[in-house]
Every structure is written in structure tokens, then in C-alpha cells.
Amino acid sequence: MDEETKEELPDLATIGVELLSEKYLTYLSNLGKSELNQMARFFEKTGYLKLSFEISQDFDSKFQIALKISDLALLYALLSNYQAENPQTAASNIRKWRSLGDLALKKWNINIAECCYWMAKDYSTLLLVLTSTNNRELLERLAQAADDCGRYNIAFQAWWSIKNVDKCVNLLAKTGRFSEAAFLARTYGISTDKLQKVTDQWKEQLSTTGKEKIAERLITDFSQLAVGDAPTDSLINLDDEVHVATEDPGVELAA
């Protein structure tokens, strides 16, 4: 408010080209790209953010100005359109997508935040967001995407969060962690065929790494095991071998 006239003054950040005089618009239209960018930087520093955004000819500058304005719809449209027109910039835009996603989270716009993190391939943040909202459909999509690009820890946590133990066992076996896969399958009642296969792979892994004695102790016969049985039996035979000496008939034992 003007102290002398008591009139409401417009917020400088909301003033756009529509409020400029025709003479000033004509002047701006005669400027080149470089001059317009210089003018945009001047207006940005003086607080005319909307005006600076509208006359700027540089994408990076426009994005940073839009971040200051905190207009999620404007930012999302700007970045989406730019990447659609320039697909080769996808890698360089990852940080921008992540910044926009963080801003959306601060403003509690979960939908835009999720979209931005997908575009940024920020799977760790997506895991936090999706488990918080218990979005099973997107968690399954995340698990598959993380698996496809080798982000196995995230893939495992995503599968686990939606209680897909079968996929967890597959992932452990895929990464050569057969011991964990076998115990997980045994504990949570995965089919005997899969348990048999994983245990055989574990045994083969032990044998090829010079651990034949441990491999010999693995129990690999699950033919009598019903799916869902409580894991009362171990996967490893812990009984020591008992060597019984035969009596020599020619030796008389002392009484």
C-alpha cells in the first residue's frame, strides 16, 4: 500500500507484459535475443519475476525464474514441452525434474512429485513416496523398472513392500544370493519346486567355490514338504557324522 495515496500497489512479481504500455511493448519487440535476456535478468533482480519470465529467451533462465515463482503447473508444462521438443536433453534435465519434484512435495502435490521423480528416474525417492502412499500398482512398476536397470536393492524393497515374496526370491537368485533366496523361500512357503531349484543352485555355487563339505550338508530333498509348512526343518544338516568302529573278534575286551 502506498503510504501517501493509501492505494494498493500490485505485487511486482505478478506484473506481466499485459500491463506494459504499447510504447514499451514496441520497444521490447525491436530487441534481439541477447538484449531481451539482459532485460530479463534486470527485471528478475528487481523483483519483476513474471515479466522476467515472459521476456526471457533462455530456457534455463526461465526455469529458474519459474522456480522462484513456485508455479508448479507452469514449471511442469515448461519442462515437459522443452524435453518433448528436445529429447536429447533428457539426461541434462534430470536435476531439473528432481528440483521440481522436491518443490511439489513441499507444496503437497504428490501427483506432480511422482511424475517428476519418474522423469528423473529417482527411484530411491519414488520408493519413499510410493510406500508412504501404499500405491501398489506404481510400486510394482517401480520394482520392475529398478530391476531392469540393475537397481536391485530398490527393486527388492519395492517387491517386499507389496508382499510379492516370489519376486523377492527370484531377484535374490538372479543376483547369485542363493543362500538368502533359499531361506526366504523356506520361511515363507514358496513352492517346493522353486525351493528345490534355488537350493540346488546354492549347492552348485558352494561346490564351485571350494566349499564342498558345506554343500554336502545341504538338504535338497523337499518332496515331502507341503507349501506353507512352518519352517521347522533346517536347510542344512547339522548332525555330525558318527564313525562306529567295528569290533575285532580276535581281541578280547576287558571285563
Side-chain angles (χ1 to χ4, degrees), residues 48-116:
Y48 292 86
L49 297 180
K50 183 180 179 182
L51 183 58
S52 175
F53 176 86
E54 291 175 342
I55 69 174
S56 176
Q57 304 298 301
D58 180 71
F59 168 73
D60 289 328
S61 295
K62 290 176 80 74
F63 184 81
Q64 293 302 321
I65 296 167
L67 275 179
K68 293 181 180 180
I69 299 174
S70 297
D71 188 328
L72 295 179
L74 177 65
L75 280 161
Y76 189 81
L78 175 69
L79 191 50
S80 297
N81 293 336
Y82 180 78
Q83 186 158 312
E85 296 171 0
N86 305 275
Q88 72 278 7
T89 63
S92 61
N93 288 336
I94 287 178
R95 183 173 295 180
K96 292 183 177 67
W97 282 116
R98 189 177 290 119
S99 297
L100 179 52
D102 292 344
L103 177 62
L105 270 188
K106 289 180 181 179
K107 297 174 78 69
W108 291 99
N109 193 319
I110 304 300
N111 290 333
I112 288 184
E114 288 177 358
C115 291
C116 292

Side-chain angles (χ1 to χ4, degrees), residues 13-26:
T14 63
I15 296 176
V17 293
E18 70 278 0
L19 296 180
L20 298 180
S21 65
E22 186 174 342
K23 181 179 179 180
Y24 204 92
L25 289 174
T26 302

